Amino acid sequence: GGHGKARDPLVHLLEKRLYASPQEKEMAEAQLLEEEGKFGEAKAAFGRLARDYPYEKLAWYGLGEAQYHDRRESGGSVGESLAAFERAVALDPDFLLPYRHIFDVLWDRGLIDEAIQRADQLLAREPTKPLWHRYRAASIALTGDISRTRAALAEAESHVSTVEDRRELYTDLAFAWA
């Protein structure tokens, strides 16, 4: 043999097909497309996965991500990504990754009241979760109502304990005000 050509481990895995299932292999292929910035192709791949495995939250999340980023490239609508992210959290309400984008999309579209309602719903389910307080405070900040924002910030601060959560809270608010 002397052709010891180094290979990318993920590509190597795909070639070897060391997967528990076809689903796992297709998921890895779709994620690779997304990581390579091939959002149009990733959108098609995750679309197939979501169709074939409708109860797989990661397929819907991947589809939402690809649609979200593909729209940025192609100037398309942000609405389709929201539907995919909503499907992912409907399948597993404790799956946190999609919420960042759900709020991004609501904020992007100027759906501020909807964002506040959504944060309130999440807080009704988990009143002490710092993430929901952060999203609520940032959403209220986007209304431009300073006194309401101050109250939301104080409420959020009482539930935010880690340095990282506090930094994220102020980052979200800074973006909202900018």
mmCIF file of all heavy atoms in Angstrom, residues 86 99 102-103 106 113-127 132 136:
data_model
loop_
_atom_site.group_PDB
_atom_site.id
_atom_site.type_symbol
_atom_site.label_atom_id
_atom_site.label_comp_id
_atom_site.label_asym_id
_atom_site.label_seq_id
_atom_site.Cartn_x
_atom_site.Cartn_y
_atom_site.Cartn_z
ATOM 1 N N GLU A 86 -40.424 25.588 15.480
ATOM 2 C CA GLU A 86 -41.610 25.319 16.311
ATOM 3 C C GLU A 86 -41.898 23.823 16.365
ATOM 4 O O GLU A 86 -42.301 23.299 17.404
ATOM 5 C CB GLU A 86 -42.834 26.066 15.766
ATOM 6 C CG GLU A 86 -42.749 27.578 15.903
ATOM 7 C CD GLU A 86 -42.890 28.103 17.322
ATOM 8 O OE1 GLU A 86 -42.874 27.303 18.286
ATOM 9 O OE2 GLU A 86 -43.000 29.331 17.473
ATOM 10 N N TYR A 99 -34.947 27.707 20.568
ATOM 11 C CA TYR A 99 -35.570 28.919 21.100
ATOM 12 C C TYR A 99 -34.810 30.188 20.729
ATOM 13 O O TYR A 99 -35.422 31.224 20.488
ATOM 14 C CB TYR A 99 -35.748 28.827 22.616
ATOM 15 C CG TYR A 99 -36.871 27.901 23.003
ATOM 16 C CD1 TYR A 99 -36.613 26.647 23.541
ATOM 17 C CD2 TYR A 99 -38.197 28.266 22.818
ATOM 18 C CE1 TYR A 99 -37.646 25.782 23.880
ATOM 19 C CE2 TYR A 99 -39.232 27.404 23.154
ATOM 20 C CZ TYR A 99 -38.949 26.173 23.687
ATOM 21 O OH TYR A 99 -39.974 25.323 24.018
ATOM 22 N N ILE A 102 -36.064 30.990 17.427
ATOM 23 C CA ILE A 102 -37.476 31.384 17.470
ATOM 24 C C ILE A 102 -37.575 32.858 17.860
ATOM 25 O O ILE A 102 -38.276 33.639 17.208
ATOM 26 C CB ILE A 102 -38.282 30.483 18.441
ATOM 27 C CG1 ILE A 102 -38.462 29.086 17.823
ATOM 28 C CG2 ILE A 102 -39.631 31.124 18.782
ATOM 29 C CD1 ILE A 102 -39.057 28.042 18.768
ATOM 30 N N PHE A 103 -36.839 33.245 18.885
ATOM 31 C CA PHE A 103 -36.875 34.647 19.309
ATOM 32 C C PHE A 103 -36.205 35.552 18.275
ATOM 33 O O PHE A 103 -36.720 36.639 17.978
ATOM 34 C CB PHE A 103 -36.296 34.822 20.716
ATOM 35 C CG PHE A 103 -37.287 34.454 21.784
ATOM 36 C CD1 PHE A 103 -37.317 33.175 22.311
ATOM 37 C CD2 PHE A 103 -38.233 35.374 22.231
ATOM 38 C CE1 PHE A 103 -38.266 32.824 23.274
ATOM 39 C CE2 PHE A 103 -39.182 35.030 23.190
ATOM 40 C CZ PHE A 103 -39.191 33.748 23.718
ATOM 41 N N LEU A 106 -38.791 36.113 15.557
ATOM 42 C CA LEU A 106 -39.863 37.013 16.006
ATOM 43 C C LEU A 106 -39.350 38.452 16.063
ATOM 44 O O LEU A 106 -40.031 39.379 15.602
ATOM 45 C CB LEU A 106 -40.401 36.567 17.374
ATOM 46 C CG LEU A 106 -41.171 35.239 17.393
ATOM 47 C CD1 LEU A 106 -41.490 34.823 18.827
ATOM 48 C CD2 LEU A 106 -42.456 35.319 16.569
ATOM 49 N N ASP A 113 -44.791 41.764 20.400
ATOM 50 C CA ASP A 113 -45.827 41.301 21.339
ATOM 51 C C ASP A 113 -45.865 39.774 21.395
ATOM 52 O O ASP A 113 -45.995 39.184 22.471
ATOM 53 C CB ASP A 113 -47.208 41.841 20.958
ATOM 54 C CG ASP A 113 -47.315 43.348 21.211
ATOM 55 O OD1 ASP A 113 -46.528 43.869 22.028
ATOM 56 O OD2 ASP A 113 -48.186 43.989 20.588
ATOM 57 N N GLU A 114 -45.732 39.137 20.221
ATOM 58 C CA GLU A 114 -45.695 37.667 20.169
ATOM 59 C C GLU A 114 -44.494 37.133 20.948
ATOM 60 O O GLU A 114 -44.598 36.132 21.643
ATOM 61 C CB GLU A 114 -45.621 37.164 18.721
ATOM 62 C CG GLU A 114 -46.925 37.254 17.969
ATOM 63 C CD GLU A 114 -47.131 38.604 17.273
ATOM 64 O OE1 GLU A 114 -46.547 39.623 17.741
ATOM 65 O OE2 GLU A 114 -47.876 38.646 16.294
ATOM 66 N N ALA A 115 -43.351 37.813 20.820
ATOM 67 C CA ALA A 115 -42.143 37.377 21.532
ATOM 68 C C ALA A 115 -42.352 37.474 23.045
ATOM 69 O O ALA A 115 -41.969 36.567 23.791
ATOM 70 C CB ALA A 115 -40.938 38.212 21.092
ATOM 71 N N ILE A 116 -42.968 38.574 23.488
ATOM 72 C CA ILE A 116 -43.226 38.755 24.922
ATOM 73 C C ILE A 116 -44.201 37.678 25.417
ATOM 74 O O ILE A 116 -43.971 37.056 26.460
ATOM 75 C CB ILE A 116 -43.775 40.173 25.215
ATOM 76 C CG1 ILE A 116 -42.708 41.224 24.885
ATOM 77 C CG2 ILE A 116 -44.213 40.292 26.686
ATOM 78 C CD1 ILE A 116 -43.235 42.663 24.832
ATOM 79 N N GLN A 117 -45.260 37.428 24.633
ATOM 80 C CA GLN A 117 -46.234 36.379 24.999
ATOM 81 C C GLN A 117 -45.556 35.018 25.099
ATOM 82 O O GLN A 117 -45.837 34.242 26.016
ATOM 83 C CB GLN A 117 -47.347 36.288 23.955
ATOM 84 C CG GLN A 117 -48.410 37.361 24.089
ATOM 85 C CD GLN A 117 -49.342 37.407 22.875
ATOM 86 O OE1 GLN A 117 -49.281 36.546 21.991
ATOM 87 N NE2 GLN A 117 -50.188 38.418 22.826
ATOM 88 N N ARG A 118 -44.676 34.759 24.133
ATOM 89 C CA ARG A 118 -43.973 33.468 24.123
ATOM 90 C C ARG A 118 -43.112 33.316 25.371
ATOM 91 O O ARG A 118 -43.099 32.268 26.019
ATOM 92 C CB ARG A 118 -43.115 33.360 22.860
ATOM 93 C CG ARG A 118 -42.497 31.990 22.670
ATOM 94 C CD ARG A 118 -43.618 30.933 22.614
ATOM 95 N NE ARG A 118 -43.117 29.615 22.370
ATOM 96 C CZ ARG A 118 -42.881 29.117 21.164
ATOM 97 N NH1 ARG A 118 -43.090 29.832 20.086
ATOM 98 N NH2 ARG A 118 -42.430 27.889 21.040
ATOM 99 N N ALA A 119 -42.379 34.367 25.720
ATOM 100 C CA ALA A 119 -41.542 34.325 26.928
ATOM 101 C C ALA A 119 -42.408 34.121 28.166
ATOM 102 O O ALA A 119 -42.053 33.346 29.061
ATOM 103 C CB ALA A 119 -40.717 35.612 27.034
ATOM 104 N N ASP A 120 -43.555 34.795 28.201
ATOM 105 C CA ASP A 120 -44.477 34.633 29.342
ATOM 106 C C ASP A 120 -44.986 33.201 29.449
ATOM 107 O O ASP A 120 -45.089 32.651 30.548
ATOM 108 C CB ASP A 120 -45.664 35.614 29.234
ATOM 109 C CG ASP A 120 -45.259 37.051 29.581
ATOM 110 O OD1 ASP A 120 -44.230 37.240 30.283
ATOM 111 O OD2 ASP A 120 -45.971 37.984 29.161
ATOM 112 N N GLN A 121 -45.307 32.590 28.302
ATOM 113 C CA GLN A 121 -45.758 31.189 28.300
ATOM 114 C C GLN A 121 -44.664 30.267 28.839
ATOM 115 O O GLN A 121 -44.938 29.351 29.615
ATOM 116 C CB GLN A 121 -46.111 30.731 26.881
ATOM 117 C CG GLN A 121 -47.411 31.290 26.331
ATOM 118 C CD GLN A 121 -47.505 31.094 24.807
ATOM 119 O OE1 GLN A 121 -46.679 30.410 24.199
ATOM 120 N NE2 GLN A 121 -48.507 31.719 24.204
ATOM 121 N N LEU A 122 -43.431 30.509 28.390
ATOM 122 C CA LEU A 122 -42.309 29.678 28.831
ATOM 123 C C LEU A 122 -42.075 29.866 30.324
ATOM 124 O O LEU A 122 -41.781 28.904 31.043
ATOM 125 C CB LEU A 122 -41.056 30.014 28.018
ATOM 126 C CG LEU A 122 -41.139 29.602 26.539
ATOM 127 C CD1 LEU A 122 -40.069 30.305 25.714
ATOM 128 C CD2 LEU A 122 -41.010 28.089 26.390
ATOM 129 N N LEU A 123 -42.219 31.101 30.802
ATOM 130 C CA LEU A 123 -42.048 31.383 32.230
ATOM 131 C C LEU A 123 -43.169 30.777 33.068
ATOM 132 O O LEU A 123 -42.945 30.382 34.206
ATOM 133 C CB LEU A 123 -41.954 32.892 32.476
ATOM 134 C CG LEU A 123 -40.591 33.488 32.178
ATOM 135 C CD1 LEU A 123 -40.656 35.004 32.094
ATOM 136 C CD2 LEU A 123 -39.569 33.057 33.234
ATOM 137 N N ALA A 124 -44.365 30.686 32.496
ATOM 138 C CA ALA A 124 -45.476 30.057 33.223
ATOM 139 C C ALA A 124 -45.148 28.591 33.491
ATOM 140 O O ALA A 124 -45.504 28.044 34.530
ATOM 141 C CB ALA A 124 -46.770 30.182 32.421
ATOM 142 N N ARG A 125 -44.416 27.985 32.540
ATOM 143 C CA ARG A 125 -44.031 26.576 32.677
ATOM 144 C C ARG A 125 -42.802 26.414 33.587
ATOM 145 O O ARG A 125 -42.717 25.474 34.359
ATOM 146 C CB ARG A 125 -43.723 26.016 31.291
ATOM 147 C CG ARG A 125 -43.838 24.523 31.184
ATOM 148 C CD ARG A 125 -43.500 24.031 29.780
ATOM 149 N NE ARG A 125 -42.066 24.058 29.526
ATOM 150 C CZ ARG A 125 -41.513 24.307 28.338
ATOM 151 N NH1 ARG A 125 -42.259 24.575 27.297
ATOM 152 N NH2 ARG A 125 -40.205 24.297 28.205
ATOM 153 N N GLU A 126 -41.855 27.334 33.457
ATOM 154 C CA GLU A 126 -40.598 27.269 34.239
ATOM 155 C C GLU A 126 -40.249 28.667 34.749
ATOM 156 O O GLU A 126 -39.441 29.369 34.149
ATOM 157 C CB GLU A 126 -39.456 26.761 33.348
ATOM 158 C CG GLU A 126 -39.614 25.323 32.871
ATOM 159 C CD GLU A 126 -38.482 24.931 31.922
ATOM 160 O OE1 GLU A 126 -38.440 25.459 30.794
ATOM 161 O OE2 GLU A 126 -37.631 24.119 32.336
ATOM 162 N N PRO A 127 -40.857 29.055 35.877
ATOM 163 C CA PRO A 127 -40.750 30.449 36.349
ATOM 164 C C PRO A 127 -39.343 30.913 36.720
ATOM 165 O O PRO A 127 -39.104 32.115 36.768
ATOM 166 C CB PRO A 127 -41.656 30.482 37.585
ATOM 167 C CG PRO A 127 -42.440 29.220 37.562
ATOM 168 C CD PRO A 127 -41.706 28.235 36.729
ATOM 169 N N TRP A 132 -35.512 32.112 29.899
ATOM 170 C CA TRP A 132 -36.811 32.711 29.572
ATOM 171 C C TRP A 132 -36.867 34.151 30.074
ATOM 172 O O TRP A 132 -37.445 35.006 29.411
ATOM 173 C CB TRP A 132 -37.966 31.901 30.157
ATOM 174 C CG TRP A 132 -37.961 30.432 29.881
ATOM 175 C CD1 TRP A 132 -38.443 29.444 30.703
ATOM 176 C CD2 TRP A 132 -37.490 29.737 28.705
ATOM 177 N NE1 TRP A 132 -38.288 28.213 30.116
ATOM 178 C CE2 TRP A 132 -37.702 28.363 28.891
ATOM 179 C CE3 TRP A 132 -36.890 30.159 27.515
ATOM 180 C CZ2 TRP A 132 -37.351 27.398 27.944
ATOM 181 C CZ3 TRP A 132 -36.527 29.210 26.562
ATOM 182 C CH2 TRP A 132 -36.765 27.853 26.782
ATOM 183 N N ARG A 136 -37.455 37.414 27.699
ATOM 184 C CA ARG A 136 -38.541 38.339 28.029
ATOM 185 C C ARG A 136 -38.010 39.771 28.143
ATOM 186 O O ARG A 136 -38.588 40.700 27.571
ATOM 187 C CB ARG A 136 -39.214 37.912 29.330
ATOM 188 C CG ARG A 136 -40.384 38.798 29.704
ATOM 189 C CD ARG A 136 -41.155 38.242 30.909
ATOM 190 N NE ARG A 136 -42.321 39.069 31.168
ATOM 191 C CZ ARG A 136 -42.286 40.133 31.958
ATOM 192 N NH1 ARG A 136 -41.158 40.498 32.572
ATOM 193 N NH2 ARG A 136 -43.384 40.833 32.142
#
